[in-house]
Every structure is written in C-alpha cells, then in structure tokens.
Amino acid sequence: MQNKTILYMENVTVSFDGFIAIRDLNFYMHYGELRVVIGPNGAGKTTLLDVICGKTKPVKGRVIFGEKDINITGMKEHEIVKIGIGRKFQAPSIFSNLTVCENFELSLRKSKGVFSTLFMRRTKSDQEKIFSILETIGLVDKAYEKAGSLSHGEKQWVEIGMVLAQDPQLLLVDEPVAGMSDKETEKTAELLLSISRNHSILVIEHDMKFVRQISRKVTVLHEGMTLCEGTMDEVQNDPRVIEKYLGRGGAD
Ligand code: ADP
Ligand code: MG
C-alpha cells in the first residue's frame, strides 16, 4: 500500500468572493505518509485542510480519496468523516467538567447517533478502544481526571485521541503545537510519529524544530500554490523558499 495514493487533489482552486486562496493546486499523498505543509501566514494551508474535510468547496478541481478513488469534492463533512478522513480542529471540543474517559465515551456515542447517546450502556469494546487510545496518547493515568484539569498539551492530545476514535485512515492536523511548551512539543512529535505507523497524516505547522523532528516530506505552500516539495534539508536550501518564506527572519 506504501506507494498507493491516499489523497489526490487535482487543479484545485478556492475563491473567497474573487480572492484566490488556493490556485490550481495539485497535491498528492501516499498511504502511510506523514506529510508536513509549511508556508507563510495566508498561504492557504488551513484552506487546504478545509477543502479536504469538506468545509470549503473548491470552485474548480477535484479531490480524490482512498483505495476506491472516491471523488469527495462535493461531499458533506460528516460523509467525509465516515469514509475515513478525521480533522483535528484548533478550537477545543472537550468538556472540562467531564473526565477524560467520559469525554471519549461521549464522542464515541455521538458518532453512533443521539439515540445511543441516551440509552446505550458502555460496552466492553468501547472501553477497550478508549483505553487503547489513552495508551497511544500517553494519558492512561489521567483517565478519571476532569478534562479541565489537564495541561494545554494534554488537552490537545485528548483532541487528537478523539479524532483517532473515529478510525480515520487520514488524519488532518492544523498547527498542533501552537501554545505548547518545548517538552509538550517534543511529546506531540513522538505521538504523531507513533500514530503514523498505522495512519496517513497531513500536518500543518510553523514550528521548524517540530517539523524537522517529524517530517519525511515537506510541502511549502505560498499564495495558494506549491512553492516546492522535498526533505526538510532540500526545502530549507531552496532559494525560492529562502526568498519567499524562511529568509524573512525565519518561519512565520
Ligand atoms: P494559512 O492557514 O496558510 O495562514 P488560510 O488558508 O487561513 O492561510 O488563508 C488563506 C487566505 O485566504 C488568506 O488570505 C485568508 O485571509 C483568506 N481566507 C481564508 N478563509 C477565508 C474566508 N472564509 N473568507 C475570505 N477569505 C478567507
Ligand atoms: Mg492556518
């Protein structure tokens, strides 16, 4: 599967009332890839994720996903989640007054529908799934603590865990280490690397140390177009990238 394309965006253009945020973009990802997209503010990085998860519709082009080459361009967000694309949003969606475990139970039930939210008792397989995810995100010992008492980093890992609970094949993560301490940033890199063993991940990030730690292949986006693609070293030494992005006193 390693060389099969999981995501294929062809000639995608996004326009906001005439302002072109993504311009004729071609973007490919393979199964098992952990791809990082970097680029200056306003480059179109978040818009790229919005297009993939169905939040924003392109005016041109198409987005193809998965083994069966499903055209997801016109699909609704919840349908896209169902076929295997999970998005971690920056805005927190966890309930502070519930324990970490209860938060997971709630999100699992929500994905099964309202009726089950009200009447379903916790099943053994749900519990197993929750604890397996807690293990992945390194928070087993916080299972019965109120989510509100977690650190900023831990809350972000819970959010990543909740996306994992949807069993996505492709995980979209926008600026996961924003506001994190150095130690949390490092742990997040390790977490994404471990998740990438059985998921494809597309992550957007500004923190260059973090990018260097996790990246295999980096895509530099600029004014809605790909400026260049390659390893971190290739990208950092590319004159176009230096001129348009890194040269102006570093990333961001
Ligand atoms: P990035 O995440 O790379 O910083 P964005 O994808 O958020 O960039 O934005 C790309 C460009 O599109 C920016 O100029 C931004 O102002 C514009 N933009 C993004 N979303 C909207 C929107 N909903 N309406 C109008 N313009 C938008
Ligand atoms: Mg953004």
Side-chain angles (χ1 to χ4, degrees):
M1 288 267 264
Q2 205 59 245
N3 279 320
K4 168 111 178 69
T5 309
I6 186 168
L7 182 76
Y8 172 73
M9 298 175 79
E10 192 181 55
N11 288 324
V12 169
T13 296
V14 174
S15 162
F16 295 113
D17 297 324
F19 174 80
I20 305 292
I22 302 265
R23 188 183 297 272
D24 281 326
L25 184 73
N26 291 304
F27 181 86
Y28 311 88
M29 257 183 81
H30 288 125
Y31 274 94
E33 229 191 286
L34 169 51
R35 176 74 64 90
V36 185
V37 174
I38 62 174
N41 273 329
K45 305 181 296 296
T46 298
T47 306
L48 176 73
L49 295 194
D50 289 345
V51 168
I52 300 169
C53 77
K55 194 173 165 224
T56 298
K57 303 288 171 219
V59 291
K60 213 177 113 239
R62 46 186 208 137
V63 185
I64 308 294
F65 171 74
E67 238 173 305
K68 292 181 183 147
D69 292 330
I70 303 169
N71 186 343
I72 62 168
T73 324
M75 279 171 62
K76 297 210 165 63
E77 280 178 83
H78 70 270
E79 293 171 338
I80 292 177
V81 170
K82 247 193 231 159
I83 66 162
I85 300 180
R87 164 92 178 261
K88 182 201 162 296
F89 284 95
Q90 271 188 293
S93 61
I94 47 177
F95 295 96
S96 307
N97 293 330
L98 299 181
T99 66
V100 171
C101 200
E102 287 163 344
N103 266 286
F104 275 102
E105 283 166 3
L106 195 65
S107 93
L108 278 177
R109 284 168 206 203
K110 256 196 256 165
S111 64
K112 290 176 184 165
V114 176
F115 192 76
S116 60
T117 311
L118 293 173
F119 299 110
M120 220 179 61
R121 294 172 57 82
R122 57 174 77 162
T123 64
K124 189 156 171 272
S125 72
D126 276 355
Q127 286 300 296
E128 278 167 7
K129 183 172 184 176
I130 291 168
F131 275 86
S132 136
I133 290 171
L134 285 175
E135 206 157 299
T136 304
I137 62 175
L139 292 178
V140 172
D141 57 340
K142 301 275 167 99
Y144 301 110
E145 289 193 19
K146 290 268 195 311
S149 73
L150 300 180
S151 74
H152 169 72
E154 289 167 338
K155 283 180 189 155
Q156 296 300 308
W157 303 329
V158 169
E159 302 265 356
I160 291 175
M162 285 187 173
V163 182
L164 286 177
Q166 301 167 351
D167 298 318
Q169 291 180 56
L170 172 64
L171 210 79
L172 310 174
V173 195
D174 199 350
E175 301 196 27
V177 303
M180 281 191 186
S181 68
D182 285 354
K183 213 168 157 206
E184 287 174 332
T185 299
E186 218 165 283
K187 264 191 85 172
T188 304
E190 282 163 20
L191 172 60
L192 289 181
L193 283 169
S194 101
I195 294 171
S196 79
R197 282 190 223 118
N198 36 29
H199 298 79
S200 309
I201 307 181
L202 172 51
V203 50
I204 285 168
E205 192 44 72
H206 281 300
D207 186 317
M208 285 302 149
K209 209 172 133 211
F210 172 83
V211 175
R212 188 168 273 288
Q213 194 181 341
I214 66 166
S215 69
R216 307 285 186 273
K217 186 171 177 183
V218 179
T219 299
V220 186
L221 210 63
H222 178 70
E223 293 177 354
M225 292 180 281
T226 305
L227 193 59
C228 85
E229 256 176 8
T231 64
M232 192 62 192
D233 283 331
E234 285 166 352
V235 156
Q236 274 189 317
N237 290 312
D238 188 301
R240 293 165 300 178
V241 178
I242 293 167
E243 186 202 329
K244 296 213 156 63
Y245 181 39
L246 298 171
R248 300 176 308 182
D252 218 346

